[in-house]
Every structure is written in structure tokens, then in C-alpha cells.
Amino acid sequence: MQADRIFTNARLATMDPALPGLGVVARGMVAERAGRIVYAGPMVEMAAREVRDCAGRWVTPGLIDCHTHLVYAGNRAGEFEARLEGARYAEIAAKGGGIAATVAATRAAGEAELATLARARLDTLMAEGVTTVEVKSGYGLEPAAEYKCLRVARRLGDACDVAVTFLGAHALPPGVERHAYVRALCEEMIPFVAAQRLADAVDGFCETVAFSPAEIRQVFEAAQRHGLRVKLHADQLSDLGGAALAAAFGALSADHIEYTSEDGVAALAASGTVAVLLPGAFYALKETRLPPIAALRARGVPMAVSTDHNPGTSPLYSLPLAMNMAAVQFGLTVPECWLGVTRNAARALGRGDVGVLRAGAKCHLAIWNIENLAEPIYQMGGRLLHERVWSGP
């Protein structure tokens, strides 16, 4: 077998479901040809144009940040200060803050400015090993501004795999009648997004401060009519049955889920929907209601971990730190954290070609200066990544 590149003398955590645990290979190698892995496993003899000695370092799949809001302008540091003084998320939103504040700044920004801002944020994530990222719109909340944000997200794919999600159902725009906006989402915006291939999926925020289950159902039905997968911000601040609603539509993921009930967990298990845990938002909002981790484990619901990078409730730029937060706040184990930012995160994006080291997958690697796999989760800050390998889209 001929390869373009071989990464030898490595300790692999393949995340391959055909192997036990994290699919560890104590003395292994990865071979790549034309951007794809052709072999990952124990050391064997193989010809290649380039041979890279990993000097015993750990090699994992490139990390996947499966829930971010990277495209926006402005910041909400003032709201952070207000929350420190006791204000709640719903109170801030009722006074015109929250998402509405970012919407105003984002609408005012040009496409080039938004692209520059988003790329800088993405560069920070990539510097810690991210090779695939999901980027949502949701800070335009009118057709032209939403399409602008989606185009910017697509432009980020020159150095990282980018999954783009249309989040027009993020919040009700100021001054717009609710029924009219939901109708515009379903009859104008989703059809245009699908026809122009601006997004890969449709998301919504099902919450008392955002959209009702009945409204989200309309949005999801429109998405499915136009061939777009769905996912949902579900049960973050209250139990509106969001997780069960997502599962009923075969959603890729239900995200946040702090208030998800046992019935909701059962629905996720039956549908195969991934539970995406967002400990940065939990931390920033000083929440106390934990996601139902024990129930998710008991029913075998795959759990992913993400930064939820956004300007208001999770201004987090580090996926390893999100892993730490998931371990410390939610009680995830080291293997659960790693699967949460690799194989399960890929599943939350409907992807089978990333998040794992096996033949046929993209050769996206993270090479680490660590002695054991707990270190990137244990260490808060610092740079443990030796090299990020991204072999193109």
C-alpha cells in the first residue's frame, strides 16, 4: 500500500467503535492518502512519500466543536456584569438585552467585518486542536442579515471543516409580530436557505423566552419539507418537552437539556438523537439544574460536549476547557469527555467521516504533548497541542 504521509511511533486514541473504550493502540501509526486515512492501527511496514515520527506522542482525531455561534458583532460584557449583580437571563432579555443586543450590532456590521471577527474566533479554537466546527446564524433575525451570516460561516471552510446551521428561530426580532415571523421563517427563509445551500441544518430555541413547541414544530416541518436536518436548543431554562420534540423529528441533536425529563431522555434514546452538553453556558449563567447525566448513561444516549461559543452566555474559546467543565460540573468521565468532542460530536453533525481514526475517514489529527489522556481535561489553560493536522475539506 502506498501512502502520501505516515505518522509513525504514536500512541493512538482512535475512537473507533469497533475497538474497546477509546480504541487505544499503544504503538501505532496513521497513514494518509489524498486527505483520507488508509490505515490506522499497530505499526506495519508501508511505503510513503513523507514519514513523520510522532516520538511517542498521543494522536487523537481532530477535535469537533459541534455547537457554536461564531458569526456576530459586538460583545455583552455589560450583561456579564449585570448577572454578577444578580440579574437573570430572562430579565436581561425582557429589557432589550440578550440576543436582541447582538442582533443590532450584527445587522450593522458588514460581511467583511463579520468574516474577520469570526475567523479570529475560529483561529483560537483551531489552535487547540479543532478541525471541525458547527457555526450557527441567529444574530440577524431578518432575511438579509441571516443570509449574510450564513455566507460568512461558509467562508470559514478554507482551514477547517464547517457545518453551517440556520438558526432563524433564535429569538423573536424586536418590533415583529410573532405569527408573521414564524410564517416568514417557514415560507420564505427556510426555502431560500435550502435552495441556495446556505446551511446544512435548521436549529431553533424552544424556551419561554424564545419559541414555543408548537412554533418549533412548524419550523421543523418546513425544514424537513426542504430536505434539511434539524437540531434544537432544548430544555435549557425549563422543561417544555424540547428534547422529546427534537427526538420526534429525528433531530441530529438536542442541546443544553438541563431540564429534560426522564421521558425526554427515553425519547432521545429511541431516536438516536445526540445530547449536546454545553457546560460553558451552565457556568456563565450560574445554573444549578444539572443535565440528567445518569439517565442519559443508563439509556445509552450519546453525549457530546461543545463550547457553545457566543457573546452572551458562553464566551468560551477553548474546547479542552469545555471538557474540563463537563467533567467537573457534570461528572463526565475522561472517556466520555473525549468521545464528546470526537465521535459523538461528529454524530451530532450527521458526520461519519470525522471524529475517528479509521480507514476512509478524513485525516484530521490532533497530536498532543501529554503523557496520558486525562491531561487536556485536567489542565485549565496552557497549550498541550503539539500539532493540528487538517487535510482539507
Side-chain angles (χ1 to χ4, degrees), residues 37-62:
I37 294 173
V38 294
Y39 176 81
M43 295 276 287
V44 296
E45 291 293 329
M46 188 179 299
R49 296 186 182 92
E50 179 185 354
V51 178
R52 303 276 299 279
D53 187 345
C54 294
R57 293 183 176 90
W58 279 97
V59 177
T60 69

Side-chain angles (χ1 to χ4, degrees), residues 57 124 161 214 254 269:
R57 293 183 176 90
T124 304
D161 274 20

